[in-house]
Structures are given as structure tokens and as C-alpha cells.
Amino acid sequence: MPRANPTLKGHRLINLFGVTGPPLLVLGAVFQPSWIAQLKDLFPDLEIVSNQDESRDGDEFLKEISEDEWREATIIVTGKTLPEPELLPNLRYIQLQTAGANHMLNHPSVTGTRAALCTASGIHGPSIAEWVLATFLASRHRILQYAEFQKKATWNKLGVPIPDSVGQRVGILGYGAVGRQVARVFKAIGMHVSACTLRKRETADSRKHDGYTPPGCGDPDGSLPSEWFAAGTEEELHAFLRSGLDVLVVTVPLTPKTRKIIGRTEFSLLAEQKTFVSNVSRGEVIDTDALIEALEGDLISGAALDVTDPEPLPDGHRLWHTKNVIITPHVSGDSGAYARGVFEVLKDNLIKLSKGQDLSNTVNLKEGY
């Protein structure tokens, strides 16, 4: 554990959030001057290098950062951009602006420095959970079909009975920050929650969430699920999928263990309940061909996908024309409060750093999350 340093003397923070220089993931916003001022008030000795002008060209900002400034940097906020490790001898903490870290695990400045790699997990929970609920209800209540009738100015009742969600079961594969907020909103409409994690969590303490959670959101103490499962082995995963799930929400990180974790066998297990499947993690965790077959063969009642494999989904791909599927282009986490959320995670971690505490959302490089 690091030593306390209340003013963060000796630390230099370089903020690349919103910079347009490739290969940075651009989210179209920068930290506001008032937010930077908050950090200055909290940590008077913290040096901050940040682009605070949204109209300023990000490439120019990157070029203005000298080698000496990189060498003095101890903290970097970024999406993907990092210089080579030779320029970062003092780097201690990398704050990603993304929930996932799979794109950075093999970056030489991650593997070749002693810096902690932290994600922005937690800030996406509210918006992603809203997307999951909205697309599930839109599918269940046939909203897309009725929207087509409206375009044709036609009053047409489908006459299809709609199951009542109250008392049904949502299974959440991957019970991190996003999964816990999904649990909160589905619990609010009267559904039972089953959580499934990649490792067994058999004690109350192990079920707690120590990552960043926006106030009033999520399930920090792990009290919402009525059942807990593990997916460490195929047998364990299959027990979860056979447990009577009306909805399966996939929120696991992409790792070698989770790639295509849901395939033909798994869809066959969901067939008895005709489970609705929602994927907001990464497209590669589901076998696309198996998903198409499950939808076309009515093994599952429908699917909502904010991520696909491949991604972007090519024009004309078979999945576009598959029945009972809602597809959006990886937008479930988009939010006008995104930049503020990244800032809050950063501020929370800087406070922990100043107190000599362990940082939130730290990635285990071996496990990939």
C-alpha cells in the first residue's frame, strides 16, 4: 500500500480525456475548468496538464507535451493513447475512460511500468441499465412492430399476450458495476435476480462491490440477488443457465475465458424457458452464428445487442435481418454525464492515493479485469 501524501506533492497528472490524437477513443468532451479547479483545491501540489478547450485541436495538444513532461508524469487519464514506457519512468497510475481494459492489457506502457491500471467501471451502470430495460420492454411489448403500424397510420392490435415481468427471473452473467445496476432496475419492476460471477462468492463479504459506484446506484453490498451462481467451470455455468431464467443479461468482461462463453450448447439450455438475451459486454462473448440459429429456431424469445461480433457489424450481415433482435451500435453507455463520471472516478482515486489507500477499479492484468 502506498504512503499517504495529502497534497500529492511530486505528482504530475496528464489528462488526455477527449483528445483527438489517434489512437485515442474520442468521446467528444474534456474536463471542465471548474473540475480541474476542484482537484487544485483538494491537492495544491498536484501538477495538472490538461486540454480544457473543446474547440482546440487535440493533435496540437499532444504535440505540446514535451518528453520531459512525459518523464515527470505519474498519472495519466486516457482512452488508448500512451507513449512508450521509456518516456514514463515515474508513472504510477493510469486512469482509463472506458469500462473495459482488454484493449490495453498488452500495451508496453502497461506491462512495462509499475503503474496501476484502473477502469472507469461504474459510471456506465445507470445508462446501460436503462438501455437493457428499455430494449427488453420494447421487445416484450412489441413496441417496434407498433411503431411500424404508426408509420403506416394503421390501428392494428397484434393480439399477442404479454407475460407479466413481476415474479419472473433475470439472470446477470457478470455481477460487476453494470450488472449490479441492472439488478437494481429489474428488481424495481418486480423481478427476481440471479447473479453469476466468474469466481465463487459464497460469503457476504465476497459479494460486496469495492469498485466505484455512483451514489444511490448499484448493489454495493450484494443484497439484491436471491440466488448466486459461479461460472468458473462449464458445469457451473450450465447450472446457472438451467435455473429458469426469463432474461439473461451478459455483462462479463472479455477475456480468453469468456470469449464465446455463450454458444450452441448454452442456447439449447435456454430453450426450455425461451429466455430473452441481452448483451452489453463485448460481442465476442457470444457465438454470433449460434445466436442467429437460436433466434431463427425460436430457442430464445429474442435478443438485444449493443455489441456484436464482428463490430462494427458490416452492412448486409445476416444478423441485421435475423428475427426478434434489436441491434444498436455500441451506444448503451453513451451519456451526457460521461466526462463527469470519469472525473468522479479520477477524483475518488486521487483521494485514495493521497491517503495511501488502494485504488478503485484496479485491473488484475493476469485475469484481464
Side-chain angles (χ1 to χ4, degrees), residues 70-364:
W70 284 122
R71 292 182 188 283
E72 293 173 4
T74 58
I75 304 160
I76 295 179
V77 183
T78 187
K80 294 182 179 179
T81 295
L82 283 174
E84 294 304 307
E86 296 76 23
L87 285 178
L88 301 170
N90 296 304
L91 189 62
R92 293 183 57 190
Y93 161 35
I94 302 166
Q95 177 60 61
L96 295 178
Q97 63 194 52
T98 55
N102 55 288
H103 63 293
M104 295 294 285
L105 295 178
N106 296 317
H107 194 292
S109 290
V110 173
T111 59
T113 67
R114 60 192 180 102
L117 179 67
C118 300
T119 70
S121 177
I123 70 171
H124 311 76
S127 56
I128 293 179
E130 288 178 13
W131 183 96
V132 172
L133 181 62
T135 51
F136 163 63
L137 293 179
S139 178
R140 174 159 283 191
H141 289 270
R142 308 296 195 269
I143 299 302
L144 297 185
Q145 291 95 321
Y146 284 118
E148 290 300 316
F149 295 151
Q150 181 178 344
K151 289 178 183 178
K152 298 175 182 177
T154 300
W155 184 274
N156 191 349
K157 292 187 178 181
L158 292 172
V160 178
I162 306 300
D164 193 340
S165 297
V166 174
Q168 291 198 335
R169 185 170 301 280
V170 57
I172 304 172
L173 179 58
Y175 204 61
V178 170
R180 289 167 189 256
Q181 182 64 9
V182 170
R184 176 178 282 264
V185 299
F186 274 81
K187 190 84 170 180
I189 66 169
M191 294 184 74
H192 298 290
V193 175
S194 291
C196 185
T197 54
L198 297 179
R199 295 190 303 271
K200 289 183 179 180
R201 298 177 183 268
E202 297 176 328
T203 66
D205 281 345
S206 71
R207 293 173 178 177
K208 293 180 179 179
H209 179 60
D210 57 4
Y212 177 80
T213 301
C217 295
D219 181 23
D221 60 0
S223 62
L224 293 180
S226 53
E227 290 183 291
W228 285 77
F229 294 83
T233 66
E234 186 178 84
E235 183 179 3
E236 289 173 336
L237 172 64
H238 290 177
F240 168 61
L241 298 178
R242 286 194 301 262
S243 65
L245 305 180
D246 298 285
V247 185
L248 170 66
V249 183
V250 183
T251 71
V252 290
L254 178 62
T255 71
K257 290 182 179 180
T258 63
R259 191 176 299 275
K260 293 191 177 182
I261 193 173
I262 304 296
R264 287 181 176 84
T265 300
E266 288 68 36
F267 283 119
S268 70
L269 298 176
L270 298 173
E272 182 176 350
Q273 200 73 14
K274 290 196 178 297
T275 306
F276 181 87
V277 177
S278 181
N279 186 12
V280 289
S281 57
R282 291 293 184 267
E284 297 95 321
V285 303
I286 293 180
D287 183 321
T288 299
D289 290 338
L291 171 63
I292 292 172
E293 292 170 11
L295 287 165
E296 293 291 356
D298 294 321
L299 297 184
I300 58 177
S301 62
L305 311 173
D306 189 47
V307 290
T308 60
D309 181 25
E311 186 176 312
L313 192 63
D315 294 348
H317 191 282
R318 185 184 172 196
L319 189 57
W320 286 117
H321 308 291
T322 300
K323 68 179 184 181
N324 297 331
V325 62
I326 296 174
I327 303 171
T328 58
H330 209 143
V331 296
S332 65
D334 288 2
S335 166
Y338 198 105
R340 181 62 191 239
V342 175
F343 168 76
E344 292 296 339
V345 174
L346 172 68
K347 183 173 72 171
D348 181 68
N349 267 340
L350 291 179
I351 291 172
K352 286 182 167 63
L353 183 64
S354 72
K355 295 179 178 180
Q357 298 173 350
D358 293 334
L359 304 182
S360 296
N361 295 354
T362 301
V363 177
N364 182 316

